C-alpha cells in the first residue's frame, strides 16, 4: 500500500538528516543572510590598514575628549605655579607648563572637546541644511533646481573661512557661534553632492515605479532616494569634520575664536608661536600642532577608507 512505501522511505532516512537542508544550500543561505552592504563595508574597512589607523586615531581623541574631566589632573584654567611658567616636559607634567603656569596635558585634553564638538555639531547643521536643499533641487529639477543652485553658487563663490570670520565678528566669539557659523557656511558642498546623487537616482526604475504608484515627492525622497544616497553623504561628513576643526583652530589662532581661559588647540598654537617661545619653549607649540595634524590625518584616512569600503563597484570580493 502507498502508506507502507512512505513509512519505509521515512525509516531509511537517518534521524539527523530529516527536514535538514543540504550543507551546501544551508551555507549559501547563511552567507546570503549575513552579507549586507554594511557588513561588507566593515570587512573591507578592516582590511584597509590606513583606514584602521585613522579609526584608531579618531576613537582615541574622542575618548580623550569625552573623559577629559577624569583624565586631566588639573582644570583647564587652573594655574599650577606661575613661577614655573613654560616649564619643559617632565615626569610630573608630561607635556610641560604653558606661559601662565598651567598644565599643558590638561589643556590639551579639554581642547580636544572643543575641536570635536565643533566638528560634529557643524556637520550636523550641514546635514540639516544641505541635504534637504540638494534633495529638493535634484528631485524636482527645472526652475526649482535653477533657482536653488544659483543661490548655492553665490554662497560657494565666497571663501568659506572669510564668511565664517564675518559671522563670528558679527555675533561675537564663542563655541556656539563658531560651530553655528561653520555649519551655515559649509552646507553648500553637501547640497551640491546630494543634488548630483538625486539627479542620477531619479532616472532609476524604482523611482519611476513609485511615481506611477502615486507616491508623493516627499515620500519618494525620504523612503527611496535618500537611503540610496547615504554612502556619499557619510563620506562627505567624514571629510567635513577635519575641515571644521581646522577652521576653528584658525579662528582661535587669530584671536576671534574660543576665548580664554577655555582651552583650544588653535589658541594654544597662537600662544606657543609668540616670538622667543619657539626657541626657548618648543613644547608649547609642538603638542597642539601635532594634535591638530593627527586629528585631521585620522579623519582623512578614515574618510578614504569609508569611500572605498562603501563603494560596491570598487570591491573585488
Amino acid at each position: 500500500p502507498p502508506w507502507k512505501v512512505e513509512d519505509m522511505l521515512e525509516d531509511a532516512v537517518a534521524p539527523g538528516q530529516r527536514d535538514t537542508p543540504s550543507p551546501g544550500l544551508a551555507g549559501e543561505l547563511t552567507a546570503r543572510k549575513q552579507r549586507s552592504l554594511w557588513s561588507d563595508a566593515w570587512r573591507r574597512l578592516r582590511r584597509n590598514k590606513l583606514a584602521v589607523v585613522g579609526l584608531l586615531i579618531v576613537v582615541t581623541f574622542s575618548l580623550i575628549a569625552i573623559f577629559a574631566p577624569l583624565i586631566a589632573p588639573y582644570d583647564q584654567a587652573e594655574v599650577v605655579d606661575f613661577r614655573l611658567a613654560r616649564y619643559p616636559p617632565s615626569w610630573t607634567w608630561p607635556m610641560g607648563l604653558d606661559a601662565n603656569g598651567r598644565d599643558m596635558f590638561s589643556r590639551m585634553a579639554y581642547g580636544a572637546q572643543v575641536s570635536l564638538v565643533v566638528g560634529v555639531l557643524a556637520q550636523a547643521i550641514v546635514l540639516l541644511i544641505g541635504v534637504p536643499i540638494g534633495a529638493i533641487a535634484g528631485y524636482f529639477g527645472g526652475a526649482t533646481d535653477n533657482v536653488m543652485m544659483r543661490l548655492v553658487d553665490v554662497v560657494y563663490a565666497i571663501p568659506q573661512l572669510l564668511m565664517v570670520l564675518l559671522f563670528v565678528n558679527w555675533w561675537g566669539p564663542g563655541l556656539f557661534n563658531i560651530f553655528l557659523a561653520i555649519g551655515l557656511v559649509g552646507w553648500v558642498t553637501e547640497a551640491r553632492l546630494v543634488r548630483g546623487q538625486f539627479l542620477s537616482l531619479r532616472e532609476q526604475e524604482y523611482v519611476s515605479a513609485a511615481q506611477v504608484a502615486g507616491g508623493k515627492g516627499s515620500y519618494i525622497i525620504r523612503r527611496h532616494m535618500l537611503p540610496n544616497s547615504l554612502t556619499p553623504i557619510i563620506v562627505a561628513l567624514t571629510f567635513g569634520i577635519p575641515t571644521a576643526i581646522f577652521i576653528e583652530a584658525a579662528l582661535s589662532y587669530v584671536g576671534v575664536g574660543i576665548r580664554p581661559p577655555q582651552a583650544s588647540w588653535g589658541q594654544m598654537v597662537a600662544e606657543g608661536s609668540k616670538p622667543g617661545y619657539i626657541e626657548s619653549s618648543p613644547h608649547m607649540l609642538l603638542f597642539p600642532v601635532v594634535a591638530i595634524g593627527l586629528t585631521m590625518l585620522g579623519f582623512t584616512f578614515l574618510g578614504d577608507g569609508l569611500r572605498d569600503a562603501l563603494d560596491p563597484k570598487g570591491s573585488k570580493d
Side-chain angles (χ1 to χ4, degrees), residues 13 23 28 39 62 64 66 76 83-84 86 97 110 122 124 150 165 183 200 207 211 216 225 243 264 285-286 301 303:
V13 180
E28 184 179 355
S39 61
S62 299
I64 291 174
I66 294 172
Q76 58 183 333
R83 295 170 298 179
L84 299 176
R86 296 188 289 161
L97 304 180
Y110 282 101
R150 298 299 76 77
L165 187 61
S200 174
V207 176
Q211 292 173 342
K216 296 183 180 180
M225 301 180 72
T243 302
S264 168
L285 180 63
L286 175 63
F301 283 164

Side-chain angles (χ1 to χ4, degrees), residues 113-115 117-118 121 172-181 248 257-259 262:
Q113 286 185 335
V114 172
S115 296
V117 165
V118 168
L121 294 184
L175 181 62
F176 178 80
N177 292 338
I178 289 176
F179 74 73
L180 182 62
E248 182 277 323
I258 302 300
R259 288 296 190 184
Q262 187 176 7

Side-chain angles (χ1 to χ4, degrees), residues 119-120 122-138 148-149 152-153 155-156 160 182-199 226 229-241 243:
V120 173
Q123 292 307 303
I125 297 175
V126 166
L127 269 182
L128 293 176
I129 300 176
V131 171
I133 291 178
I136 294 173
M148 299 184 77
M149 285 301 104
V152 170
D153 291 340
V155 179
Y156 191 79
Q160 184 177 2
I182 296 174
L184 292 177
V185 173
W187 59 268
V188 290
T189 303
E190 195 77 17
R192 297 178 71 173
L193 174 66
V194 174
R195 171 187 175 266
Q197 286 294 120
F198 273 58
L199 286 175
L226 189 58
S229 303
L230 287 180
T231 296
I233 292 175
I234 293 174
V235 174
L237 287 178
T238 308
F239 283 115
I241 291 176
T243 302

Side-chain angles (χ1 to χ4, degrees), residues 16-149:
Q17 297 179 353
R18 295 175 183 175
D19 301 330
T20 302
S22 61
L25 180 60
E28 184 179 355
L29 292 175
T30 303
R32 289 182 179 179
K33 183 178 180 180
Q34 293 179 352
R35 295 287 290 273
S36 64
L37 173 64
W38 300 109
S39 61
D40 286 345
W42 173 243
R43 190 181 69 257
R44 290 194 291 268
L45 183 67
R46 287 182 300 174
R47 294 179 180 177
N48 190 330
K49 295 181 180 180
L50 288 179
V52 173
V53 172
L55 180 61
L56 291 176
I57 293 175
V58 170
V59 170
T60 300
F61 278 104
S62 299
L63 292 177
I64 291 174
I66 294 172
F67 298 105
L70 298 178
I71 65 176
Y74 302 94
D75 187 71
Q76 58 183 333
E78 183 178 353
V79 177
V80 178
D81 193 338
F82 68 91
R83 295 170 298 179
L84 299 176
R86 296 188 289 161
Y87 194 83
S90 62
W91 287 108
T92 306
W93 303 291
M95 293 187 180
L97 304 180
D98 65 1
N100 295 315
R102 297 172 296 189
D103 180 38
M104 288 282 295
F105 176 77
S106 301
R107 291 181 60 78
M108 289 289 297
Y110 282 101
Q113 286 185 335
V114 172
S115 296
L116 293 177
V117 165
V118 168
V120 173
L121 294 184
Q123 292 307 303
I125 297 175
V126 166
L127 269 182
L128 293 176
I129 300 176
V131 171
I133 291 178
I136 294 173
Y139 177 78
F140 292 102
T144 303
D145 182 27
N146 289 331
V147 171
M148 299 184 77
M149 285 301 104

